[in-house]
Amino acid sequence: QIPKDPTQRWLRELTALSQQLQQVHPNVLAKMLRQRTVYQNEEIVVIDKPYGLPVHGGPGIKNCIADVLPILAKMLESMKAEPLHLCHRLDKETTGVMVLARSKEAAEKIRLLFKTRQVEKIYWAIVLGDPDPVEGIVEIPIVEKEVQSHQSHYKMTLAPNYRLCPEDGKVMKIRKNRNAERAVTRYRQLASASACSLLELQPITGVKHQIRVHLAYGLGCPILGDHKYSHWSKLAPQKLPELTLRRLKLEQSKARHLPLHLHAHRLCLPLGQPLDFVCKPPLFFQKTLRKLELDIPKD
């Protein structure tokens, strides 16, 4: 049955799209990525990654970007083209700018640029609440931990080097967690309405799920639709403020269908001359901005 409510219908379509991406023939997927190519030269191909498509394969994943790189290369160049190479990764639910390399040498050069933090990455995210302060830097190490609950699972979490002393409330240094990785995220609020904010984010480091963890656990502003990092101990749908639900015309019981609102908006790559790529947020992201009355900045 088709839901009468447009929001429900729209969420259903998005879920269906993710499932379809898993069922289409690899050639169809490659064709879709070719249509989403935003730039190419002799070294690189830049695509606008769609929602719900994993970059790497894994259990239960039939289609991923890595698998169709040989087909995409042939479609873009010629039947003799060597497969494209991955240079960095985006989460399955993250959309936006993604760089692929045409050769092994180019891929190694670009991976090194990412590793040595010479690539400027700007993300947009719709989050719950307002960060305090509205602009700043979160610098808290991140570590992967097992969550002991009725369904044991792994999550990335904060591993701070400091805590408050219970006696006098002073800040004290604690022993570093050996497995924790340094993680730094710069953030800035671009708009605020309907108990939500639109944030511009610049991850300085590249730790797994860094932006999601820093926003949810560091700033207390989880990304809209981030059901994994909205609670620590349970796997449950995100709880949304009344006002947000009203604006989205959504019942809390249907909140689990909300997609993750995290978009790789811009990427600046210093290859010879600096190359600057921008991808507009996907339609569902733009619709959410309109419904929440968050004004999109004009860049």
Side-chain angles (χ1 to χ4, degrees):
Q1 85 249 29
I2 296 173
K4 287 190 184 68
D5 176 49
T7 303
Q8 305 285 330
R9 211 164 47 232
W10 158 65
L11 293 175
R12 182 80 60 89
E13 280 164 15
L14 206 58
T15 312
L17 181 73
S18 291
Q19 288 162 352
Q20 269 166 0
L21 289 173
Q22 286 306 306
Q23 275 137 27
V24 297
H25 190 277
N27 286 357
V28 177
L29 190 59
K31 204 169 176 178
M32 176 191 171
L33 294 178
R34 183 183 65 184
Q35 286 162 351
R36 298 178 74 97
T37 299
V38 287
Y39 175 85
Q40 51 177 320
N41 66 15
E42 60 287 344
E43 279 194 297
I44 58 169
V45 172
V46 180
I47 59 168
D48 180 359
K49 181 191 167 299
Y51 177 83
L53 180 63
V55 172
H56 295 283
I61 292 172
K62 194 169 155 263
N63 274 335
C64 64
I65 292 178
D67 288 351
V68 298
L69 292 180
I71 310 169
L72 181 59
K74 289 187 168 83
M75 284 181 176
L76 289 169
E77 240 178 306
S78 70
M79 290 316 281
K80 289 194 189 69
E82 69 161 295
L84 290 160
H85 300 263
L86 292 169
C87 302
H88 61 120
R89 51 171 299 159
L90 290 177
D91 286 353
K92 175 184 165 186
E93 290 90 3
T94 307
T95 55
V97 187
M98 188 165 177
V99 182
L100 305 167
R102 287 197 192 270
S103 66
K104 233 189 187 119
E105 299 73 52
E108 274 161 19
K109 187 159 71 174
I110 293 162
R111 280 184 209 130
L112 188 64
L113 291 174
F114 272 98
K115 207 175 163 183
T116 51
R117 307 192 184 129
Q118 294 181 64
V119 180
E120 190 185 344
K121 298 170 284 184
I122 301 289
Y123 287 76
W124 279 3
I126 300 175
V127 303
L128 302 183
D130 290 283
D132 180 19
V134 291
E135 186 170 338
I137 293 173
V138 181
E139 184 171 355
I140 308 173
I142 288 175
V143 71
E144 189 162 25
K145 275 197 178 156
E146 186 174 5
V147 181
Q148 301 292 345
S149 69
H150 65 288
Q151 255 178 305
S152 276
H153 56 288
Y154 283 88
K155 267 184 188 165
M156 306 304 285
T157 190
L158 302 177
N161 296 333
Y162 299 89
R163 70 181 178 88
L164 293 177
C165 171
E167 283 80 53
D168 55 9
K170 284 199 174 121
V171 172
M172 36 188 282
K173 206 161 168 45
I174 52 176
R175 208 172 83 209
K176 264 192 180 142
N177 182 319
R178 273 211 313 274
N179 302 322
E181 292 186 72
R182 181 170 176 256
V184 185
T185 310
R186 186 175 278 147
Y187 73 92
R188 178 166 78 100
Q189 188 183 51
L190 299 176
S192 168
S194 318
C196 290
S197 303
L198 172 65
L199 301 187
E200 178 186 86
L201 302 144
Q202 189 183 356
I204 310 295
T205 52
V207 181
K208 179 183 172 186
H209 295 174
Q210 173 182 320
I211 292 177
R212 296 164 66 177
V213 173
H214 271 171
L215 290 181
Y217 302 150
L219 286 171
C221 295
I223 298 176
L224 183 66
D226 194 349
H227 308 292
K228 180 167 186 163
Y229 289 108
S230 289
H231 318 271
W232 168 248
S233 60
K234 55 184 180 188
L235 290 165
Q238 188 174 50
K239 188 117 181 62
L240 297 176
E242 268 309 309
L243 178 56
T244 311
L245 288 168
R246 230 179 18 251
R247 289 273 165 84
L248 290 174
K249 295 190 170 63
L250 196 63
E251 300 154 38
Q252 177 56 47
S253 62
K254 299 283 192 285
R256 66 178 183 279
H257 299 303
L258 262 182
L260 181 77
H261 285 71
L262 177 61
H263 174 67
H265 177 59
R266 197 174 144 230
L267 193 140
C268 189
L269 199 59
L271 269 185
Q273 83 276 31
L275 297 170
D276 213 345
F277 309 110
V278 174
C279 284
K280 266 183 17 196
L283 226 46
F284 78 83
F285 197 107
Q286 294 178 42
K287 273 185 186 171
T288 302
L289 286 173
R290 276 200 301 276
K291 287 179 178 184
L292 296 175
E293 298 176 5
L294 287 165
D295 294 325
I296 206 161
K298 303 272 176 278
D299 12 40

